[in-house]
Amino acid sequence: MLLHSMPCRGKTKPVMTKKGNPSMSRILIFSPTAFVPHGHGSNYASGLAEGLSQFDAEVHVVGYEGPLALQGKGISHGVPIPNRDYDRRPGLAGFLRYAWKRRRRDLAFMRGFAALYEELGRPFTVFEAFEYGSVDRFVKKENASQNYVCVLHETNFNFRHGSPLVALYKRSVRSNVESILRNSVCCFVHGKAMRDNLIENVFPGNRAVAEKVKILPHGAPSPRSELQIPRETALETLGLDASKRYLLSFGTLRTDKKFEPVLAVLRETDGWMWLLAGPEGDYQYACIRELARQFGVEDKIVIHNRFLPLPDHPVYFGCADAVVNLYQDYIRHESGTAQKARAFLKPVIVDGPPDLTDYVTSEGIGWKIDASDVQAFKRLLDQIAHGSDEEKTQLAARIRRCAEERSWENVGRIIMENIRPFLTERPA
């Protein structure tokens, strides 16, 4: 018997599932990393549950058993898994080690998920972050066609990846992706370029499946629901020099992000620091420190090497003058950090894929730069440092408007508009 836990802001206490209201629809969110200190899974699952719960639905979230709790509404289900090391080491050996442990976790998790799926009465499921092969097999085995939607946060099913092994894997699962989408009610992606890339690489010419791919804004909390910490208070809390300005890089350290342009501009500017906050992924902070030494800016970087749970987010975003998100051009995903920044009314500096850069420029909530142009980057930092109060007020107003339009409430509404005809009332 799996344990079910009711949501709370503090420690999660395992209890048996509540009977609930028999007239309510039941929705199950499949989010493996919802309860573990890794990546953006906790943020996304909490927001998705909040957004869907507003529509008189009983929302359940299933993920790896872990120490984190949903921040808001929803009923949690933790599945015990082996190998709680989620870090991906660099190099071939690190990749193979990561792939083996991930495979073992996935097998254990899918067994627990299948049992829960039956126990809850085969509820309509939102697959958010998953292994393509195992979900494809589950859908076929359980005859779950038209009883789920999926959210793809990345659509690079081709050879454009930083690692050739990742590229090979992504290319090999195209048939699984096509099968998953064909049997789904629909599939959500976070931008037009992501959608175009998915259709081009997975099912070109298959109009019936292509029409199932819909664009869903990447949700983030409304500024109304987040604690807004004054900059001076945030800097004092983190022990940072209040006479400096800060660029914030937030989240897992990965090879698909660009780091050298930030170090290059720090060498050309005075008064700016770079705060990197988050755990190591397939890139190491030792490499950042070595690059900083080469650029002669070791004293301009601050590193907080750890996973940062949701309660810590206000203080880190609170100290930022701007959030920097520079990505490799080949990726086809949006930055969760660039989305979260608007919850704290922080502007973002971006480079990389069109969905990210178009989002920032079209909404007027930050700046797109050519990361290779150091002098243009320097001029931008000067502009930020010396901007007028009126300009800052107008920028904050645009960010707030964007945040409300792309809030979890609206994300939940879009999903419900697509799945409502397929929901059934939960059994008494």
Side-chain angles (χ1 to χ4, degrees):
M1 176 71 69
L2 291 170
L3 290 178
H4 313 301
S5 28
M6 296 303 296
C8 60
R9 294 282 177 179
K11 187 175 180 181
T12 302
K13 180 181 178 182
V15 298
M16 297 305 297
T17 303
K18 293 174 65 177
K19 288 290 184 181
N21 184 342
S23 67
M24 295 179 72
S25 298
R26 180 176 277 170
I27 300 173
L28 177 59
I29 298 174
F30 179 107
S31 183
T33 59
F35 312 123
V36 298
H38 178 77
H40 291 286
S42 177
N43 304 7
Y44 203 88
S46 291
L48 209 55
E50 190 77 25
L52 292 173
S53 294
Q54 67 181 319
F55 294 97
D56 198 30
E58 183 184 283
V59 179
H60 298 250
V61 178
V62 58
Y64 301 153
E65 188 176 69
L68 303 184
L70 289 177
Q71 300 295 300
K73 297 180 180 179
I75 301 172
S76 305
H77 304 264
V79 177
I81 55 156
N83 300 319
R84 294 172 176 269
D85 178 6
Y86 306 101
D87 293 335
R88 180 176 154 196
R89 306 291 190 267
L92 176 60
F95 177 84
L96 294 175
R97 174 180 177 273
Y98 170 80
W100 168 249
K101 292 195 171 188
R102 182 167 172 169
R103 175 63 175 163
R104 287 196 64 202
R105 286 197 298 267
D106 182 57
L107 290 172
F109 182 64
M110 290 305 294
R111 287 193 294 269
F113 166 68
L116 177 65
Y117 183 73
E118 292 296 330
E119 182 182 332
L120 293 178
R122 299 172 62 86
F124 192 93
T125 302
V126 179
F127 286 103
E128 182 277 310
F130 51 89
E131 297 292 339
Y132 309 100
S134 59
V135 167
D136 187 20
R137 288 190 295 273
F138 169 83
V139 169
K140 292 172 179 174
K141 180 180 178 181
E142 298 293 334
N143 192 26
S145 179
Q146 301 302 297
N147 197 40
Y148 68 93
V149 295
C150 52
V151 180
L152 296 182
H153 300 293
E154 185 267 325
T155 63
N156 252 17
F157 298 102
N158 50 41
F159 286 115
R160 291 182 295 177
H161 288 272
S163 163
L165 289 172
V166 173
L168 206 59
Y169 166 72
K170 288 289 188 178
R171 180 65 179 82
S172 71
V173 297
R174 284 190 188 184
S175 62
N176 299 120
V177 176
E178 194 276 338
S179 176
I180 291 169
L181 268 60
R182 177 164 32 83
N183 287 294
S184 70
V185 168
C186 66
C187 166
F188 296 108
V189 297
H190 296 311
K192 181 180 182 300
M194 291 177 68
R195 184 181 190 275
D196 293 345
N197 193 66
L198 179 61
I199 293 171
E200 175 187 345
N201 284 282
V202 178
F203 36 79
N206 190 336
R207 183 174 178 180
V209 178
E211 288 179 349
K212 290 188 174 187
V213 184
K214 303 178 183 295
I215 296 176
L216 177 75
H218 192 300
S222 161
R224 291 178 284 106
S225 65
E226 289 288 352
L227 177 63
Q228 306 294 327
I229 297 182
R231 181 176 180 274
E232 295 75 14
T233 304
L235 292 170
E236 182 179 359
T237 301
L238 294 179
L240 299 177
D241 185 350
S243 69
K244 305 292 185 181
R245 298 187 180 275
Y246 286 86
L247 293 171
L248 173 67
S249 287
F250 189 90
T252 305
L253 207 64
R254 298 199 313 265
T255 55
D256 61 2
K257 300 177 181 181
K258 298 177 182 178
F259 303 111
E260 291 194 21
V262 185
L263 296 168
V265 79
L266 289 176
R267 183 172 57 186
E268 301 295 322
T269 58
D270 292 321
W272 281 89
M273 302 283 289
W274 185 19
L275 173 61
L276 299 98
E280 294 180 332
D282 62 344
Y283 199 71
Q284 309 298 302
Y285 281 115
C287 299
I288 296 289
R289 292 189 178 93
E290 174 57 25
L291 286 172
R293 186 192 64 78
Q294 295 174 16
F295 279 91
V297 294
E298 303 100 308
D299 60 340
K300 293 186 176 183
I301 65 170
V302 179
I303 294 173
H304 289 190
N305 179 7
R306 64 185 182 90
F307 175 82
L308 298 164
L310 288 168
D312 289 354
H313 293 189
V315 69
Y316 278 90
F317 283 94
C319 74
D321 293 276
V323 178
V324 61
N325 300 100
L326 310 180
Y327 283 86
Q328 303 293 343
D329 294 338
Y330 62 77
I331 70 164
R332 286 297 177 268
H333 67 72
E334 281 194 340
S335 164
T337 299
Q339 312 299 323
K340 189 65 183 280
R342 65 178 183 259
F344 301 100
L345 303 178
K346 295 298 179 176
V348 291
I349 301 171
V350 298
D351 188 24
D355 285 330
L356 174 60
T357 57
D358 290 350
Y359 153 68
V360 170
T361 55
S362 64
E363 299 290 343
I365 58 173
W367 307 272
K368 177 190 181 302
I369 64 168
D370 176 356
S372 64
D373 189 339
V374 178
Q375 292 307 310
F377 197 172
K378 180 179 182 297
R379 288 193 295 272
L380 173 59
L381 295 187
D382 290 340
Q383 174 188 333
I384 295 171
H386 300 105
S388 68
D389 290 342
E390 181 181 359
E391 290 172 332
K392 293 175 182 177
T393 299
Q394 292 174 352
L395 176 59
R398 292 194 298 270
I399 298 173
R400 186 182 296 277
R401 183 182 64 249
C402 177
E404 296 298 342
E405 291 173 351
R406 292 170 173 257
S407 67
W408 285 118
E409 289 85 352
N410 278 334
V411 168
R413 176 183 55 78
I414 293 170
I415 294 176
M416 286 298 294
E417 287 173 353
N418 285 275
I419 71 174
R420 194 183 297 279
F422 300 89
L423 297 180
T424 57
E425 291 181 359
R426 57 156 301 216

